Amino acid sequence: MSSTKEYLLDTHRLCDPAQTMERVRPHLCRMGITRIANLTGLDRIGLPTVMVTRPNSRSVAVSLGKGLSLEAAQVSGVMEAIETWHAERIVRPIRRESFAELQSEVAVADVSRLPKVTGARFEPHRRILWVEGRDLGRDAACWVPLEMVDTDYTEPPHGGHGAFPRTTNGLASGNDTTEATCHAICELIERDATTLWHHGQADTRIDPASVDDPRCRDALNRLVGAGLDVGLWDTTSDVGVPSFRCMICEAGHVQGHIGIGDGCHPDRAIALLRAVTEAAQTRLTYISGARDDLDPSEFTTEAVAARGRYVRHLIVGAKPARSFSDAPNATTDNFEDDLSWLLERLSCAGMDQVVTVDLSRPEFGISVIRAVIPGLEAPHDDPDFIPGPRARAVQAGAA
């Protein structure tokens, strides 16, 4: 059955935000979601942003959502909260084995290419917990370390290993499995691309005048009209899936909160729009202080000024060298075609193993997927980040 896209405004979904909200609303109480609050008016930009609270969360208690309409922003935040709830309560088959034992019986993710973390080392003969996923390229079962999927941060990693990142990177939800899978894969590609761009600092600034998509132009005009300086960068990596970074700061000085956003999608206009709206969302996150994972030290005068100097230096210090149309672009009518294209792009870049763990529960009818792609880099701003081969190669080339 084809996953035909019916909603194409600020993201691609099977149905519009109102239909999605109607489907998920009956389950919000069960998942501990107590409040959906509109944060938009706390800033002067006007791009809709909301916060969604889960007070008894086992990870972060506040999720953020953004979109071109308040309804779209609400669904964005709610779906983020829903997917994290699922990842805190995994019901997939789990095994406790060493890598050496497990790989003799079943297919296992290539652990040598998974991201590493500071202060830990993978031991192939140590027994840890693994969760069953599916290798999309081979259409067969494949097992991955549970700690890369589980988001219950109220206790140490299950199995006590701690050799791999415990994040929500690659976690996504959707109206069906293919839609959720595409969003999960795009997030992993985006974080990898941003990490490579950070280590290489390539001259990929985009001329904002070259942005021809009316939705993106309207969002950019809102930022400029609010008295903010804006910088856009094409961060697309060798994978070849459109990725962008947007940075905003107060025009002319370093005081005031900044915003940084990243976006990735086969359709380059959606990718850029995600980056722009996320930059506005990030700025509102600082203004509101809503996220419970923000450290109080981030709100000192010195910290605010330091972030402002960093963003202002990048915006002022780089001249636009690229056109928006230079970025690759792939537009399709359904998610099956998106998924095939994404898998092809990954394979061409050397990522032949794409594993997804289906965290969905039949009683809710909401698809939740955690994707794991050996070979891609983890986010560079994770506190325990260790550069992998791709980041080290880019860094060496930029030296």
Side-chain angles (χ1 to χ4, degrees):
M1 185 175 179
S2 177
S3 296
T4 303
K5 303 172 183 177
E6 298 292 341
Y7 182 78
L8 304 170
L9 181 59
D10 42 16
T11 187
H12 289 182
R13 294 286 189 187
L14 288 177
C15 55
D16 65 43
Q19 291 172 298
T20 301
M21 185 62 84
E22 184 179 355
R23 289 179 55 243
V24 305
R25 190 181 296 278
H27 310 300
L28 301 188
C29 182
R30 166 79 186 276
M31 297 177 192
I33 296 173
T34 61
R35 185 184 182 204
I36 304 171
N38 183 4
L39 301 181
T40 313
L42 296 180
D43 200 359
R44 59 184 188 272
I45 297 173
L47 287 170
T49 301
V50 305
M51 61 177 281
V52 178
T53 58
R54 284 192 307 130
N56 291 321
S57 167
R58 298 175 186 175
S59 52
V60 294
V62 175
S63 299
L64 279 296
K66 76 272 188 193
L68 292 183
S69 69
L70 181 58
E71 200 166 45
Q74 290 171 335
V75 171
S76 170
V78 164
M79 294 300 275
E80 181 178 293
I82 286 173
E83 67 202 31
T84 309
W85 183 91
H86 279 75
E88 293 168 353
R89 298 162 176 82
I90 294 173
V91 293
R92 297 289 303 170
I94 292 172
R95 294 179 62 166
R96 183 178 176 87
E97 303 277 358
S98 71
F99 172 74
E101 294 169 333
L102 193 63
Q103 70 167 345
S104 68
E105 300 179 21
V106 296
V108 186
D110 185 353
V111 294
S112 68
R113 302 186 70 194
L114 293 177
K116 308 299 189 296
V117 295
T118 303
R121 183 170 61 89
F122 177 69
E123 299 174 15
H125 295 284
R126 181 179 178 181
R127 297 176 69 201
I128 64 170
L129 292 178
W130 303 81
V131 62
E132 184 184 40
R134 192 150 202 88
D135 185 328
L136 298 185
R138 296 168 178 81
D139 192 23
C142 184
W143 294 72
V144 299
L146 178 64
E147 64 193 13
M148 290 199 70
V149 181
D150 169 57
T151 63
D152 182 354
Y153 303 147
T154 60
E155 55 187 39
H158 293 298
H161 199 273
F164 303 105
R166 298 186 75 199
T167 70
T168 59
N169 188 23
L171 178 64
S173 54
N175 293 286
D176 77 353
T177 301
T178 312
E179 178 189 301
T181 299
C182 289
H183 286 293
I185 290 174
C186 281
E187 182 168 275
L188 288 170
I189 294 173
E190 171 202 302
R191 304 286 171 77
D192 170 83
T194 303
T195 294
L196 298 183
W197 177 85
H198 174 79
H199 281 77
Q201 292 292 304
D203 186 13
T204 61
R205 179 89 177 266
I206 296 173
D207 182 355
S210 70
V211 177
D212 55 0
D213 180 81
R215 297 161 298 179
C216 295
R217 287 231 52 84
D218 178 66
L220 290 170
N221 288 339
R222 286 174 179 262
L223 297 177
V224 174
L228 300 173
D229 284 338
V230 183
L232 303 175
W233 284 264
D234 182 349
T235 58
T236 307
S237 71
D238 58 326
V239 176
V241 180
S243 299
F244 298 96
R245 166 157 281 205
C246 175
M247 297 189 187
I248 57 177
C249 66
E250 297 288 347
H253 54 80
V254 300
Q255 298 302 317
H257 292 296
I258 58 93
I260 300 176
D262 299 289
C264 174
H265 194 274
D267 183 329
R268 66 179 172 226
I270 296 297
L272 180 60
L273 191 59
R274 284 181 173 178
V276 173
T277 54
E278 186 172 273
Q281 173 187 289
T282 303
R283 180 175 147 94
L284 259 171
T285 303
Y286 281 118
I287 290 172
S288 66
R291 288 279 293 219
D292 48 313
D293 56 348
L294 290 176
D295 192 280
S297 64
E298 297 185 60
F299 291 89
T300 64
T301 302
E302 295 77 11
V304 172
R307 287 195 299 271
R309 284 192 296 271
Y310 168 73
V311 171
R312 181 139 199 85
H313 169 74
L314 289 175
I315 292 176
V316 174
K319 300 272 186 205
R322 290 195 183 183
S323 169
F324 176 58
S325 62
D326 292 337
N329 190 46
T331 56
T332 73
D333 296 326
N334 60 76
F335 285 104
E336 284 82 8
D337 288 345
D338 273 7
L339 181 57
S340 295
W341 187 77
L342 290 168
L343 294 177
E344 179 185 5
R345 298 310 312 150
L346 286 163
S347 179
C348 289
M351 265 56 71
D352 293 318
Q353 197 176 49
V354 178
V355 183
T356 57
V357 181
D358 191 342
L359 304 177
S360 313
R361 296 194 179 199
E363 64 266 34
F364 300 130
I366 305 166
S367 293
V368 178
I369 295 292
R370 174 62 157 93
V372 177
I373 306 178
L376 292 184
E377 295 285 340
H380 70 277
D381 51 359
D382 284 350
D384 54 5
F385 170 76
I386 295 178
R390 287 164 60 76
R392 292 197 301 270
V394 169
Q395 195 169 31

